[in-house]
Amino acid sequence: MAFKNIILITILVILGSVVYAQQIDTTKTKRLNEVTVIGKTNAYKKDTLQSLNRLDIRQLDLPQSIQSIPAKILRDQQVLTVVEAGRNINGINFPTQITGEFALRGFVVDYQNSLLISGMRAATGNGYTTLPLYNVASLEALKGPASALFSVAQPGGVLNLETFKPQSEKGYSFELNYGSWNLLRFRADATGPLTKNKTILYRLIAGGSKSESFRGFQKTSDLFLAP
């Protein structure tokens, strides 16, 4: 009985193939017009990381695993803290969001040894996972052991907050945000030359925010000034 079923299935497969082959008429194929898709992705791309790897070379040429979140992403997402920006980095987790610790590649580290600001050790202490990003141009993560570059460092890696630099051309900006839990936030930024030959530059960034919380009797506020 099984032998008859095998023969029947084989015949159906052959007939199906013949019918399918007969339905395709190669003489009536039509060539479609060429379609070109152009996307602007350079704004989210950062090729070199001078302060994090100490060398002005491309990320592609580095043996370390480095992930960078540039300013364009931070502004488009309207992130306000390191915790919110860090969600763009794979392999990182903020278990408490209060004590100043984060886990990178499974190793829990603290800001004392693993947070850098423009490539320099920050030593901010605990309680800074909600560090505001008023003057942060990009967030960078070096994953894996980094003691060869930054002395004492946890095996999970380090985080680097790259700050905005003064520019030779005048520029001014102002941002105002309002959101959930009565969040009110502002940021002002001014930069340009102080001398005619543009040898001395300045940048002044100021910001502040206040908000309530989904928890009762909990409010936060901060005031920031970076000359």
Side-chain angles (χ1 to χ4, degrees):
M1 189 68 180
F3 181 72
K4 292 182 179 180
N5 292 336
I6 294 174
I7 294 176
L8 180 60
I9 293 173
T10 304
I11 294 173
L12 292 176
V13 170
I14 294 174
L15 292 176
S17 300
V18 172
V19 172
Y20 178 75
Q22 291 176 349
Q23 290 178 348
I24 299 177
D25 188 357
T26 57
T27 62
K28 296 182 179 180
T29 57
K30 183 178 181 181
R31 185 180 181 85
L32 298 177
N33 296 328
E34 182 179 355
V35 177
T36 303
V37 179
I38 300 176
K40 296 181 179 180
T41 58
N42 292 334
Y44 292 155
K45 183 180 179 182
K46 192 174 183 181
D47 294 325
T48 60
L49 305 170
Q50 293 182 357
S51 62
L52 188 59
N53 56 45
R54 310 292 188 182
L55 298 171
D56 187 14
I57 59 178
R58 299 183 308 162
Q59 295 188 54
L60 186 63
D61 299 328
L62 291 172
Q64 296 107 330
S65 176
I66 298 178
Q67 188 172 354
S68 175
I69 310 301
K72 180 65 174 176
I73 294 180
L74 301 181
R75 297 295 172 260
D76 287 350
Q77 293 182 345
Q78 290 293 298
V79 296
L80 306 180
T81 64
V82 174
V83 174
E84 296 177 359
R87 292 168 183 164
N88 295 286
I89 300 174
N90 59 322
I92 192 172
N93 183 37
F94 298 88
T96 62
Q97 302 185 15
I98 296 176
T99 61
E101 295 179 340
F102 61 91
L104 191 58
R105 282 193 170 180
F107 293 92
V108 177
V109 298
D110 58 65
Y111 279 116
Q112 287 283 5
N113 296 322
S114 298
L115 179 68
L116 310 173
I117 296 181
S118 295
M120 303 298 291
R121 192 177 303 279
T124 56
N126 292 333
Y128 279 87
T129 49
T130 57
L131 196 69
L133 302 178
Y134 297 111
N135 69 327
V136 175
S138 63
L139 177 65
E140 302 159 354
L142 192 157
K143 304 172 187 177
S147 58
L149 295 175
F150 305 106
S151 183
V152 179
Q154 301 293 339
V158 298
L159 281 181
N160 180 52
L161 304 179
E162 191 69 19
T163 59
F164 285 104
K165 303 298 187 292
Q167 302 297 315
S168 58
E169 300 297 331
K170 290 183 179 181
Y172 308 95
S173 66
F174 182 81
E175 301 174 10
L176 184 64
N177 306 91
Y178 182 78
S180 302
W181 312 111
N182 293 324
L183 168 67
L184 183 62
R185 179 182 184 271
F186 80 93
R187 177 184 179 275
D189 185 1
T191 185
L194 289 176
T195 58
K196 292 183 178 180
N197 57 4
K198 300 182 179 181
T199 56
I200 301 178
L201 311 177
Y202 82 95
R203 188 151 197 166
L204 176 63
I205 299 176
S209 68
K210 64 176 183 178
S211 68
E212 299 175 358
S213 172
F214 63 92
R215 300 184 181 94
F217 307 103
Q218 178 177 334
K219 299 180 179 180
T220 60
S221 63
D222 62 70
L223 186 62
F224 181 88
L225 182 64

